[in-house]
């Protein structure tokens, strides 16, 4: 039984390692150096989280909205950077966008927790 379980685990790990990644990673510094408008930056956290601070120039489209509708982001090959709090929601959103035909997708390394930890500039919604 141990050998069967070990074989299954090995097969699973091998499959995961060979799975095609549908997006590229972008570092915090690369995003900061990019010109304004070079990327569409999408925060997929809930609105309350977005209001607590977000990456400058980011728009808020929660993961639930991305899952519910395919018409929220412009079609085509514009570069889209997505992030969330820790990466789980952004990964789901990036896979959905890839399945809907977007191919120029990026994930912000470290997500918002990393952004806060690095003490990078934070924007807040105007009230």
């Amino acid at each position: 039984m141990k050998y069967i379980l070990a074989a299954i685990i090995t097969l699973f790990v091998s499959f995961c390692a060979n799975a095609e990644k549908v997006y590229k990673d972008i570092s915090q510094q690369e995003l900061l150096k990019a010109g304004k408008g070079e990327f569409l930056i999408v925060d997929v956290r809930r609105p309350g989280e977005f209001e607590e601070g977000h990456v400058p120039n980011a728009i808020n489209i929660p993961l639930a909205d991305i899952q519910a509708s395919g018409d929220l982001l412009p079609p085509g090959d514009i570069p889209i950077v997505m992030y969330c709090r820790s990466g789980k929601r952004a990964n789901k959103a990036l896979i959905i966008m890839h399945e809907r035909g977007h191919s120029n997708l990026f994930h912000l390394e470290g997500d918002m927790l990393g952004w806060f930890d690095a003490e990078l500039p934070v924007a807040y919604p105007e009230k």
Side-chain angles (χ1 to χ4, degrees):
M1 186 68 170
K2 286 184 193 177
Y3 297 110
I4 293 172
L5 185 57
I8 291 171
I9 290 171
T10 302
L11 193 62
F12 177 75
V13 169
S14 174
F15 173 76
C16 291
N18 293 323
E20 181 182 343
K21 197 170 179 180
V22 299
Y23 57 83
K24 300 173 207 122
D25 292 317
I26 185 169
S27 73
Q28 298 163 347
Q29 295 308 315
E30 287 175 298
L31 187 59
L32 284 171
K33 288 179 185 175
K36 187 175 180 178
E38 189 173 332
F39 292 98
L40 175 60
I41 306 170
V42 181
D43 184 322
V44 300
R45 298 177 298 157
R46 292 182 303 278
E49 293 173 288
F50 184 78
E51 291 173 5
E52 293 172 355
H54 55 271
V55 172
N57 302 312
I59 61 171
N60 184 222
I61 305 177
L63 173 61
D65 293 347
I66 291 171
Q67 290 170 321
S69 173
D71 301 323
L72 297 173
L73 292 171
D77 202 28
I78 63 166
I80 300 172
V81 175
M82 291 189 160
Y83 71 92
C84 62
R85 181 181 156 281
S86 64
K88 187 175 180 180
R89 289 174 281 180
N91 185 57
K92 288 180 182 179
L94 286 158
I95 290 169
I96 291 167
M97 296 310 298
H98 176 74
E99 290 171 351
R100 292 183 180 158
H102 292 269
S103 60
N104 205 357
L105 301 170
F106 296 84
H107 176 245
L108 177 61
E109 292 177 349
D111 293 277
M112 203 63 212
L113 288 177
W115 195 269
F116 283 135
D117 286 347
E119 298 180 358
L120 297 171
V122 176
Y124 300 90
E126 294 183 28
K127 297 194 179 202

